[in-house]
mmCIF file of all heavy atoms in Angstrom:
data_model
loop_
_atom_site.group_PDB
_atom_site.id
_atom_site.type_symbol
_atom_site.label_atom_id
_atom_site.label_comp_id
_atom_site.label_asym_id
_atom_site.label_seq_id
_atom_site.Cartn_x
_atom_site.Cartn_y
_atom_site.Cartn_z
ATOM 1 N N GLU A 6 8.493 2.287 -5.078
ATOM 2 C CA GLU A 6 7.483 1.182 -4.818
ATOM 3 C C GLU A 6 6.809 1.324 -3.427
ATOM 4 O O GLU A 6 7.592 1.816 -2.521
ATOM 5 C CB GLU A 6 7.982 -0.252 -5.139
ATOM 6 C CG GLU A 6 8.218 -0.448 -6.620
ATOM 7 C CD GLU A 6 8.479 -1.956 -6.852
ATOM 8 O OE1 GLU A 6 8.244 -2.877 -5.874
ATOM 9 O OE2 GLU A 6 8.978 -2.244 -7.941
ATOM 10 N N ILE A 10 -1.129 -3.225 2.143
ATOM 11 C CA ILE A 10 -1.411 -4.350 2.912
ATOM 12 C C ILE A 10 -2.872 -4.253 3.474
ATOM 13 O O ILE A 10 -3.398 -3.162 3.835
ATOM 14 C CB ILE A 10 -0.481 -4.252 4.284
ATOM 15 C CG1 ILE A 10 0.834 -4.270 3.917
ATOM 16 C CG2 ILE A 10 -0.870 -5.358 5.319
ATOM 17 C CD1 ILE A 10 1.852 -3.766 5.159
ATOM 18 N N ALA A 12 -5.608 -6.190 6.202
ATOM 19 C CA ALA A 12 -5.574 -7.037 7.379
ATOM 20 C C ALA A 12 -6.921 -7.133 7.946
ATOM 21 O O ALA A 12 -7.641 -6.051 7.951
ATOM 22 C CB ALA A 12 -4.440 -6.544 8.352
ATOM 23 N N SER A 13 -7.322 -8.221 8.545
ATOM 24 C CA SER A 13 -8.596 -8.290 9.294
ATOM 25 C C SER A 13 -8.402 -9.422 10.299
ATOM 26 O O SER A 13 -7.714 -10.403 10.175
ATOM 27 C CB SER A 13 -9.723 -8.671 8.342
ATOM 28 O OG SER A 13 -9.592 -9.888 7.659
ATOM 29 N N LEU A 49 -8.028 -3.250 8.343
ATOM 30 C CA LEU A 49 -7.022 -2.344 7.903
ATOM 31 C C LEU A 49 -6.662 -2.332 6.456
ATOM 32 O O LEU A 49 -6.689 -3.338 5.835
ATOM 33 C CB LEU A 49 -5.724 -2.681 8.819
ATOM 34 C CG LEU A 49 -4.460 -1.976 8.468
ATOM 35 C CD1 LEU A 49 -3.602 -1.835 9.759
ATOM 36 C CD2 LEU A 49 -3.677 -2.894 7.573
ATOM 37 N N ALA A 65 8.732 -10.251 4.065
ATOM 38 C CA ALA A 65 9.064 -11.548 4.603
ATOM 39 C C ALA A 65 8.575 -11.689 6.063
ATOM 40 O O ALA A 65 8.269 -12.960 6.297
ATOM 41 C CB ALA A 65 10.650 -11.682 4.524
ATOM 42 N N VAL A 70 3.893 -12.189 11.490
ATOM 43 C CA VAL A 70 3.216 -11.004 12.223
ATOM 44 C C VAL A 70 1.683 -11.337 12.156
ATOM 45 O O VAL A 70 1.069 -11.209 13.231
ATOM 46 C CB VAL A 70 3.560 -9.657 11.521
ATOM 47 C CG1 VAL A 70 2.557 -8.584 12.128
ATOM 48 C CG2 VAL A 70 5.025 -9.339 11.777
ATOM 49 N N GLU A 72 0.209 -14.110 11.847
ATOM 50 C CA GLU A 72 -0.105 -15.301 12.760
ATOM 51 C C GLU A 72 0.048 -14.996 14.209
ATOM 52 O O GLU A 72 -1.021 -15.211 15.000
ATOM 53 C CB GLU A 72 0.823 -16.408 12.456
ATOM 54 C CG GLU A 72 0.398 -17.698 13.065
ATOM 55 C CD GLU A 72 1.250 -18.867 12.582
ATOM 56 O OE1 GLU A 72 1.378 -18.893 11.345
ATOM 57 O OE2 GLU A 72 1.506 -19.747 13.418
ATOM 58 N N LEU A 74 -0.524 -11.979 15.643
ATOM 59 C CA LEU A 74 -1.554 -10.962 16.090
ATOM 60 C C LEU A 74 -2.840 -11.438 15.608
ATOM 61 O O LEU A 74 -3.857 -10.811 16.057
ATOM 62 C CB LEU A 74 -1.256 -9.711 15.320
ATOM 63 C CG LEU A 74 0.076 -8.939 15.680
ATOM 64 C CD1 LEU A 74 0.234 -7.753 14.862
ATOM 65 C CD2 LEU A 74 0.078 -8.531 17.176
ATOM 66 N N GLN A 80 -0.906 -8.845 0.828
ATOM 67 C CA GLN A 80 0.053 -7.727 0.476
ATOM 68 C C GLN A 80 0.397 -7.751 -0.978
ATOM 69 O O GLN A 80 0.306 -8.688 -1.583
ATOM 70 C CB GLN A 80 1.373 -7.979 1.270
ATOM 71 C CG GLN A 80 2.138 -9.231 0.915
ATOM 72 C CD GLN A 80 3.079 -9.553 2.000
ATOM 73 O OE1 GLN A 80 3.025 -9.254 3.182
ATOM 74 N NE2 GLN A 80 4.152 -10.234 1.389
ATOM 75 N N GLN A 81 0.626 -6.530 -1.442
ATOM 76 C CA GLN A 81 0.885 -6.318 -2.832
ATOM 77 C C GLN A 81 1.776 -5.116 -3.141
ATOM 78 O O GLN A 81 1.414 -4.058 -2.671
ATOM 79 C CB GLN A 81 -0.499 -6.253 -3.734
ATOM 80 C CG GLN A 81 -0.233 -6.249 -5.108
ATOM 81 C CD GLN A 81 -1.538 -6.472 -5.920
ATOM 82 O OE1 GLN A 81 -2.539 -6.423 -5.348
ATOM 83 N NE2 GLN A 81 -1.456 -6.541 -7.190
ATOM 84 N N PRO A 85 2.559 4.561 -6.972
ATOM 85 C CA PRO A 85 1.517 5.565 -6.953
ATOM 86 C C PRO A 85 0.983 5.896 -8.333
ATOM 87 O O PRO A 85 1.964 5.774 -9.219
ATOM 88 C CB PRO A 85 2.244 6.918 -6.484
ATOM 89 C CG PRO A 85 3.284 6.220 -5.578
ATOM 90 C CD PRO A 85 3.810 5.050 -6.172
ATOM 91 N N PRO A 88 -3.468 10.455 -11.981
ATOM 92 C CA PRO A 88 -4.660 10.610 -12.721
ATOM 93 C C PRO A 88 -4.333 11.126 -14.224
ATOM 94 O O PRO A 88 -3.454 12.000 -14.375
ATOM 95 C CB PRO A 88 -5.553 11.489 -12.041
ATOM 96 C CG PRO A 88 -4.811 12.243 -11.130
ATOM 97 C CD PRO A 88 -3.462 11.494 -10.854
ATOM 98 N N PRO A 91 -6.141 16.345 -14.129
ATOM 99 C CA PRO A 91 -6.125 16.844 -12.653
ATOM 100 C C PRO A 91 -7.530 16.632 -11.929
ATOM 101 O O PRO A 91 -8.512 16.861 -12.648
ATOM 102 C CB PRO A 91 -5.839 18.328 -12.879
ATOM 103 C CG PRO A 91 -5.357 18.577 -14.157
ATOM 104 C CD PRO A 91 -5.772 17.421 -15.001
ATOM 105 N N ALA A 101 -30.263 9.452 5.256
ATOM 106 C CA ALA A 101 -31.727 9.115 4.845
ATOM 107 C C ALA A 101 -32.137 7.979 5.829
ATOM 108 O O ALA A 101 -31.348 7.423 6.632
ATOM 109 C CB ALA A 101 -31.653 8.493 3.457
ATOM 110 N N ASP A 103 -32.734 4.388 6.727
ATOM 111 C CA ASP A 103 -31.981 3.247 6.279
ATOM 112 C C ASP A 103 -32.857 2.407 5.397
ATOM 113 O O ASP A 103 -33.932 2.057 5.738
ATOM 114 C CB ASP A 103 -31.470 2.438 7.580
ATOM 115 C CG ASP A 103 -30.435 1.350 7.216
ATOM 116 O OD1 ASP A 103 -29.950 1.563 6.079
ATOM 117 O OD2 ASP A 103 -30.229 0.525 8.050
ATOM 118 N N ASN A 113 -23.448 4.045 -8.357
ATOM 119 C CA ASN A 113 -23.976 4.067 -9.754
ATOM 120 C C ASN A 113 -24.035 5.395 -10.372
ATOM 121 O O ASN A 113 -23.552 5.631 -11.476
ATOM 122 C CB ASN A 113 -25.223 3.327 -9.866
ATOM 123 C CG ASN A 113 -25.663 3.174 -11.350
ATOM 124 O OD1 ASN A 113 -26.260 4.097 -11.890
ATOM 125 N ND2 ASN A 113 -25.345 1.979 -11.939
ATOM 126 N N ARG A 117 -21.406 6.403 -13.525
ATOM 127 C CA ARG A 117 -21.919 6.720 -14.834
ATOM 128 C C ARG A 117 -21.332 7.932 -15.358
ATOM 129 O O ARG A 117 -21.257 8.312 -16.548
ATOM 130 C CB ARG A 117 -23.520 6.834 -14.792
ATOM 131 C CG ARG A 117 -24.194 5.542 -14.793
ATOM 132 C CD ARG A 117 -25.656 5.737 -14.917
ATOM 133 N NE ARG A 117 -26.215 6.132 -13.601
ATOM 134 C CZ ARG A 117 -26.878 7.357 -13.351
ATOM 135 N NH1 ARG A 117 -27.315 8.084 -14.427
ATOM 136 N NH2 ARG A 117 -27.250 7.771 -12.151
ATOM 137 N N TYR A 130 -27.625 4.774 12.593
ATOM 138 C CA TYR A 130 -27.774 5.373 13.851
ATOM 139 C C TYR A 130 -29.301 5.591 14.058
ATOM 140 O O TYR A 130 -30.046 5.710 13.016
ATOM 141 C CB TYR A 130 -27.044 6.640 14.006
ATOM 142 C CG TYR A 130 -27.348 7.666 13.039
ATOM 143 C CD1 TYR A 130 -28.386 8.661 13.342
ATOM 144 C CD2 TYR A 130 -26.803 7.682 11.790
ATOM 145 C CE1 TYR A 130 -28.677 9.651 12.431
ATOM 146 C CE2 TYR A 130 -27.119 8.745 10.838
ATOM 147 C CZ TYR A 130 -28.144 9.621 11.169
ATOM 148 O OH TYR A 130 -28.426 10.641 10.244
ATOM 149 N N ALA A 132 -32.592 7.947 14.647
ATOM 150 C CA ALA A 132 -32.849 9.256 14.369
ATOM 151 C C ALA A 132 -33.141 9.771 15.917
ATOM 152 O O ALA A 132 -33.832 9.141 16.747
ATOM 153 C CB ALA A 132 -34.098 9.448 13.645
ATOM 154 N N THR A 156 -23.267 22.215 -12.715
ATOM 155 C CA THR A 156 -24.124 21.380 -13.341
ATOM 156 C C THR A 156 -24.190 19.972 -12.628
ATOM 157 O O THR A 156 -25.294 19.405 -12.318
ATOM 158 C CB THR A 156 -23.848 21.042 -14.862
ATOM 159 O OG1 THR A 156 -23.903 22.333 -15.540
ATOM 160 C CG2 THR A 156 -24.768 20.132 -15.476
ATOM 161 N N ASP A 163 -30.615 17.040 -7.408
ATOM 162 C CA ASP A 163 -31.855 16.674 -7.930
ATOM 163 C C ASP A 163 -32.028 15.087 -7.845
ATOM 164 O O ASP A 163 -33.132 14.616 -7.418
ATOM 165 C CB ASP A 163 -31.978 17.026 -9.473
ATOM 166 C CG ASP A 163 -32.132 18.394 -9.751
ATOM 167 O OD1 ASP A 163 -32.388 19.183 -8.699
ATOM 168 O OD2 ASP A 163 -31.917 18.845 -10.823
ATOM 169 N N ASP A 166 -32.964 14.398 -4.217
ATOM 170 C CA ASP A 166 -34.261 14.795 -3.968
ATOM 171 C C ASP A 166 -35.203 13.625 -4.452
ATOM 172 O O ASP A 166 -36.144 13.246 -3.784
ATOM 173 C CB ASP A 166 -34.690 16.080 -4.597
ATOM 174 C CG ASP A 166 -34.184 17.267 -3.993
ATOM 175 O OD1 ASP A 166 -33.811 17.160 -2.833
ATOM 176 O OD2 ASP A 166 -34.154 18.418 -4.554
ATOM 177 N N ASP A 167 -35.013 13.188 -5.591
ATOM 178 C CA ASP A 167 -35.769 12.046 -6.326
ATOM 179 C C ASP A 167 -35.698 10.607 -5.422
ATOM 180 O O ASP A 167 -36.697 10.038 -5.230
ATOM 181 C CB ASP A 167 -35.309 11.672 -7.636
ATOM 182 C CG ASP A 167 -35.650 12.849 -8.674
ATOM 183 O OD1 ASP A 167 -36.480 13.636 -8.279
ATOM 184 O OD2 ASP A 167 -35.085 12.712 -9.742
ATOM 185 N N THR A 173 -25.287 16.922 0.951
ATOM 186 C CA THR A 173 -24.421 18.154 0.640
ATOM 187 C C THR A 173 -23.326 17.655 -0.332
ATOM 188 O O THR A 173 -22.959 16.503 -0.336
ATOM 189 C CB THR A 173 -23.653 18.599 1.940
ATOM 190 O OG1 THR A 173 -22.939 17.611 2.444
ATOM 191 C CG2 THR A 173 -24.766 19.041 2.883
#
Side-chain angles (χ1 to χ4, degrees):
E6 286 192 17
I10 303 166
S13 64
L49 166 143
V70 169
E72 191 168 320
L74 297 175
Q80 61 196 35
Q81 187 170 6
D103 191 17
N113 182 278
R117 282 183 289 123
Y130 60 95
T156 301
D163 288 346
D166 284 345
D167 291 345
T173 61

